[in-house]
Amino acid sequence: MPEISHVHLAVPELATLSRIFREGGAQSFPQWLSTEYGERARIDWYGMQGVLMINIGPPDDAARAGLWPRPWDDWTEPPRGVVLATVDAERAAEDLAPVIGADATWWETGEDPLLQATCRRTTLGRSVLVLAEPSGEGYVAACLARFGEGPVAVVLDGTTSVGKAVDANPVSDGPARYVRLGEPDAPTLIFLPASA
């Protein structure tokens, strides 16, 4: 079964990211995370394990290539989820079908006011993949304009006092805290409490 296994971030400096993880209850960086220096914070790519992608590849459209995961067989504890920005969630689900399976069920989760997007999710093993289609000019629209389609948020277990609290999120439907890593189009970390 395919499952999200890795997230790779580019960040201008690691101190802020380390502080956010410590405040969220992590003693060190999660095993599913790697980082490198980047002038602007962004999620460069995400990986998926349990997928054989020899005869299939990303869409020809370069703006959509970021939706496509990299094969990454890292059998550590996965993140709770990854949020992918897309201009068309139905088309993105079709693009991803060769990787996650044509029988994947996508559930509508409604409008997320902080992502400013309409979301739908599917469960992949222990993780959730969320497609976020902009519902107006806001966070997801800004990410799409700057980076094209692809990962914009990572969902993880933890609690933190920073960021913005919400009563519902697109992964667990329960409470969460959203922490932006800088600029208006920088990646978002979505912390879910243990009970979520």
Side-chain angles (χ1 to χ4, degrees):
M1 166 177 277
E3 183 172 57
I4 298 165
S5 63
H6 200 79
V7 175
H8 186 79
L9 282 172
V11 291
E13 47 87 27
L14 288 175
T16 301
L17 190 58
S18 293
R19 179 184 49 78
I20 290 169
F21 279 120
R22 276 194 318 275
E23 289 174 353
Q27 299 302 314
S28 61
F29 272 26
Q31 293 177 337
W32 48 260
L33 177 67
S34 62
T35 61
E36 68 181 41
Y37 172 77
E39 290 190 23
R40 292 180 64 100
R42 71 168 289 177
I43 300 174
D44 278 336
W45 52 270
Y46 73 107
M48 209 174 269
Q49 63 192 8
V51 176
L52 184 60
M53 293 193 282
I54 292 174
N55 297 321
I56 53 177
D60 292 333
D61 181 355
R64 291 167 41 200
L67 289 173
W68 206 257
R70 291 187 182 185
W72 194 269
D73 282 325
D74 179 1
W75 294 96
T76 61
E77 188 69 22
R80 284 286 296 273
V82 170
V83 177
L84 303 176
T86 179
V87 294
D88 183 339
E90 188 170 325
R91 190 252 318 130
E94 291 173 12
D95 283 351
L96 290 167
V99 176
I100 64 172
D103 59 343
T105 302
W106 291 91
W107 302 95
E108 299 289 336
T109 62
E111 172 79 19
D112 186 298
L114 293 184
L115 296 177
Q116 293 170 298
T118 303
C119 299
R120 59 173 71 177
R121 71 173 177 241
T122 190
T123 301
L124 301 173
R126 298 169 289 172
S127 300
V128 173
L129 189 63
V130 175
L131 297 176
E133 184 178 321
S135 54
E137 294 301 315
Y139 175 69
V140 168
C143 291
L144 285 167
R146 181 134 187 107
F147 306 116
E149 294 185 274
V152 296
V154 180
V155 184
L156 58 151
D157 291 312
T159 56
T160 182
S161 59
V162 298
K164 295 185 179 182
V166 297
D167 293 328
N169 69 80
V171 169
S172 70
D173 294 325
R177 287 192 85 86
Y178 288 52
V179 180
R180 187 87 31 90
L181 296 180
E183 310 269 339
D185 55 13
T188 298
L189 299 177
I190 302 173
F191 286 88
L192 301 185
S195 61

